[in-house]
Amino acid sequence: MCWAGRMVLGTFSILLGLVHAAAACEFGPFPYQGTGIVCRMTKPAALLLNQETAQVIQAAFRNAQFPNITGERSMRLLGRVAYGLSDIQVNDLSIERSEVELKEDSAIHISIRNVTALFKGTLTYGYAGAWFLQLFHSVDFEIDSSIDLQLNINLMCQKDQVAPDASDCYLTFHKLTLHLQGDKQPGWLKQLFTDFISFTLKLVLKREVCKEINAVAQTLTSFIIDLAANFVRDKDIAVDISLASDPVIKATYIESHHRGTVLYKNNSSMLSDSVFSPSLLTESRMLYFWLAEHSLSSLAAAAFLDGQLVLNLTGEKLQELFEMEDTEVQRKAVQMIFQGTSYNDSVAKVWSLSQPQISFQPEGTMVRSSVAVEVSILLAGEEPLVALYMEKEITATIQATYADKKLILQPVDSSVVIKVFKCTADPSGEDPSIQSFLQNMILVAGIPEVTSSIGSALTSLLNSKRLDLFDIINPEIITRKGYVIVQLDFGFPSHLLLNFLEKSL
């Protein structure tokens, strides 16, 4: 599983969510010592996400609050001429193209080409003539504009979280043409006010649009941090995704490092010997997540302490477990254990007696756990009868895949050692048919059933955090000694960004 890789929401969201500038944060002398989770996004992913930049820019223009613009000037013969532009609004906004560049060890540069916008409002003007004649007029106006927008997004770290600064913002005007109402006004009047207001209008547009872009960047970043924090939280269990070290910005990728320690009821796991190195990740896929063994092991420990590692089987599931094969030995053993009781009147409970020990190996994820199994027969009006109780030590190697929006856990190797055995049908524990049947049942059906149930539960948890809304393409989960790498390509669900912008801006 990759607990930090759900920070994906447009150029301003993922790029801002993954990186920071370390001016306000202090880290230890060893750069990756406390790193439990790493995210690397390569240039192809940045280019894909940049397609969503237009929506952010459009939102910034639409939500910019343009102040009234006033001015005056003395004119020969006309005297003092005063003007005011009010109720300025943006209509018919379009963007020709957007480009993103990763400046190595610097910032994220976004270039927005040919932003065409139609500004509308009201022009009020008045002047006192040489003969004390005062005239005041109000006309509607339109301003055709063509603008290039340059953004250098610098990122800061405040309280171990991302704080973007998009104030390095430049607008270049290729066209700024004033049209008075119906173009019926005399040409000299139109030229007069065009000359008067062009310079002031450019300054106001730059100030207000850039201020709004910076505000949108801040809002999106806060949203992504909250989204990521919620994604790695389940009731009392949470993963600390605060920054663990300075990020890396290369021309071909962005990489951020997070603590990945597990928080459970005011207790926190500790990680001080991370094995992460940038050379462990490549650049052939769009997105990479690196997860330390410590993080997943701590999650399993927290789940155990929280009482989540419990599974109950009844009815058809119980029947599938005990009737994995149709043999005389199996039928005899089942009859003795259940004493002729229906599966619908029985329940099997499986739970961990101690916290599972998890380690990553090239063959897969190795899980060692002490597990109890209890089969009870439910008798009407009486206390449940415990027909079978076992404690066993299980070692299993599990390989994980993600396909069709489902997390699939598949055991590839396992062993079982029964430590405690109590069965009403075999009080002495010496019946070889029951012992052999149960041993085989656990290996062939029991362990796969438990891992399948865990996979389904994790899938439901991930989907509750909206992972299923993303198009995850050809994901690979690669385990190595001490860590796991998840690498994938993805498609971006544009409606997520649109919904967020509509609700928050």
Side-chain angles (χ1 to χ4, degrees):
M1 295 178 292
C2 46
W3 294 93
R6 287 48 171 189
M7 297 183 266
V8 206
L9 196 59
T11 300
F12 284 104
S13 55
I14 288 192
L15 293 181
L16 299 180
L18 293 180
V19 195
H20 77 294
C25 298
E26 295 182 1
F27 302 110
F30 304 102
Y32 307 118
Q33 183 177 8
T35 298
I37 296 172
V38 178
C39 298
R40 174 179 290 188
M41 184 176 66
T42 60
K43 186 66 178 288
L47 294 175
L48 172 67
L49 294 171
N50 187 57
Q51 298 173 11
E52 309 303 323
T53 302
Q55 298 179 38
V56 177
I57 300 302
Q58 288 172 347
F61 270 84
R62 285 195 304 268
N63 288 278
Q65 301 295 317
F66 298 102
N68 294 338
I69 301 174
T70 59
E72 64 176 43
R73 185 175 179 180
S74 296
M75 299 291 294
R76 183 178 299 179
L77 299 178
L78 294 177
R80 190 180 76 255
V81 178
Y83 65 88
L85 279 76
S86 59
D87 301 325
I88 303 174
Q89 300 176 3
V90 181
N91 297 84
D92 302 328
L93 181 70
S94 65
I95 294 176
E96 183 177 285
R97 70 180 186 275
S98 175
E99 301 172 352
V100 63
E101 179 184 358
L102 306 180
K103 294 185 175 181
E104 187 154 341
D105 298 324
S106 178
I108 303 164
H109 177 75
I110 298 178
S111 177
I112 314 295
R113 302 291 185 183
N114 196 18
V115 180
T116 59
L118 183 65
F119 297 89
K120 292 185 177 182
T122 301
L123 170 64
T124 301
Y125 63 94
Y127 51 89
W131 300 277
F132 304 102
L133 176 64
Q134 294 185 351
L135 298 175
F136 298 94
H137 300 275
S138 291
V139 296
D140 292 335
F141 71 86
E142 293 182 347
I143 299 174
D144 284 328
S145 66
S146 178
I147 306 168
D148 284 349
L149 176 63
Q150 306 289 330
L151 291 172
N152 288 305
I153 303 175
N154 299 301
L155 301 123
M156 301 173 293
C157 178
Q158 295 179 355
K159 298 180 180 179
D160 294 333
Q161 298 292 353
V162 176
D165 178 11
S167 60
D168 191 359
C169 170
Y170 299 92
L171 270 63
T172 302
F173 292 85
H174 299 297
K175 181 176 72 172
L176 191 68
T177 306
L178 174 68
H179 300 283
L180 300 181
Q181 188 177 36
D183 276 338
K184 295 178 181 179
Q185 298 297 328
W188 66 269
L189 182 61
K190 177 178 177 180
Q191 183 62 46
L192 171 67
F193 284 108
T194 298
D195 292 342
F196 273 15
I197 69 176
S198 290
F199 178 75
T200 303
L201 183 60
K202 289 178 181 179
L203 291 179
V204 170
L205 292 179
K206 177 187 181 303
R207 182 180 69 242
E208 298 304 321
V209 170
C210 289
K211 181 174 70 176
E212 186 62 29
I213 289 174
N214 199 29
V216 171
Q218 296 280 354
T219 301
L220 277 172
T221 301
S222 297
F223 172 73
I224 290 304
I225 291 173
D226 292 343
L227 180 68
N230 177 62
F231 195 94
V232 295
R233 176 181 294 276
D234 181 33
K235 300 178 182 176
D236 292 329
I237 303 174
V239 178
D240 184 359
I241 57 171
S242 57
L243 296 167
S245 65
D246 293 338
V248 176
I249 304 179
K250 299 293 184 182
T252 54
Y253 67 83
I254 299 172
E255 185 174 281
S256 68
H257 316 103
H258 308 265
R259 290 175 180 162
T261 52
V262 175
L263 310 174
Y264 177 69
K265 292 185 176 180
N266 298 324
N267 295 315
S268 175
S269 61
M270 299 296 294
L271 175 62
S272 59
D273 55 351
S274 175
V275 298
F276 175 74
S277 168
S279 62
L280 298 176
L281 302 180
T282 64
E283 302 173 30
S284 60
R285 305 298 298 273
M286 294 172 67
L287 203 57
Y288 294 82
F289 305 123
W290 183 95
L291 181 66
E293 177 181 289
H294 173 86
S295 296
L296 187 57
S297 182
S298 298
L299 278 173
F304 167 75
L305 294 174
D306 203 48
Q308 296 189 22
L309 302 184
V310 179
L311 176 64
N312 291 305
L313 300 173
T314 59
E316 291 183 2
K317 284 292 184 182
L318 190 58
Q319 183 175 4
E320 291 174 5
L321 183 64
F322 278 88
E323 295 186 2
M324 58 180 178
E325 57 185 17
D326 188 14
T327 65
E328 182 64 29
V329 172
Q330 173 255 302
R331 287 191 292 271
K332 179 182 177 182
V334 168
Q335 179 67 25
M336 293 175 64
I337 294 170
F338 288 89
Q339 304 175 27
T341 306
S342 167
Y343 289 112
N344 291 326
D345 296 325
S346 306
V347 60
K349 179 181 177 182
V350 183
W351 71 97
S352 289
L353 294 170
S354 60
Q355 82 178 47
Q357 301 298 312
I358 294 177
S359 62
F360 292 136
Q361 304 294 335
E363 298 78 17
T365 302
M366 184 174 293
V367 181
R368 295 183 178 88
S369 183
S370 178
V371 177
V373 177
E374 182 180 88
V375 176
S376 298
I377 298 174
L378 308 177
L379 303 174
E382 299 181 23
E383 290 293 323
L385 172 64
V386 178
L388 175 67
Y389 177 81
M390 290 188 298
E391 294 180 5
K392 51 189 183 294
E393 297 291 333
I394 294 179
T395 301
T397 300
I398 299 171
Q399 292 181 350
T401 56
Y402 187 87
D404 299 324
K405 300 186 182 297
K406 295 179 181 179
L407 179 65
I408 302 167
L409 304 180
Q410 181 66 43
V412 294
D413 184 31
S414 56
S415 63
V416 175
V417 177
I418 296 177
K419 297 291 187 179
V420 176
F421 178 83
K422 297 177 183 179
C423 180
T424 55
D426 181 20
S428 65
E430 297 178 357
D431 189 319
S433 62
I434 292 181
Q435 293 282 334
S436 175
F437 163 72
L438 291 174
Q439 186 87 359
N440 192 40
M441 180 203 70
I442 293 168
L443 289 172
V444 175
I447 294 175
E449 176 62 34
V450 170
T451 54
S452 176
S453 298
I454 293 174
S456 297
L458 290 174
T459 297
S460 297
L461 178 61
L462 296 177
N463 289 344
S464 72
K465 309 295 185 178
R466 299 189 291 183
L467 179 64
D468 57 333
L469 299 180
F470 293 85
D471 295 325
I472 299 178
I473 303 169
N474 298 327
E476 297 178 82
I477 302 176
I478 303 169
T479 54
R480 294 290 183 263
K481 185 174 178 56
Y483 63 90
V484 63
I485 296 172
V486 180
Q487 55 189 38
L488 55 95
D489 299 321
F490 66 91
F492 183 76
S494 300
H495 61 281
L496 286 183
L497 183 59
L498 285 172
N499 291 342
F500 168 72
L501 292 173
E502 290 173 357
K503 292 178 181 178
S504 60
L505 298 179

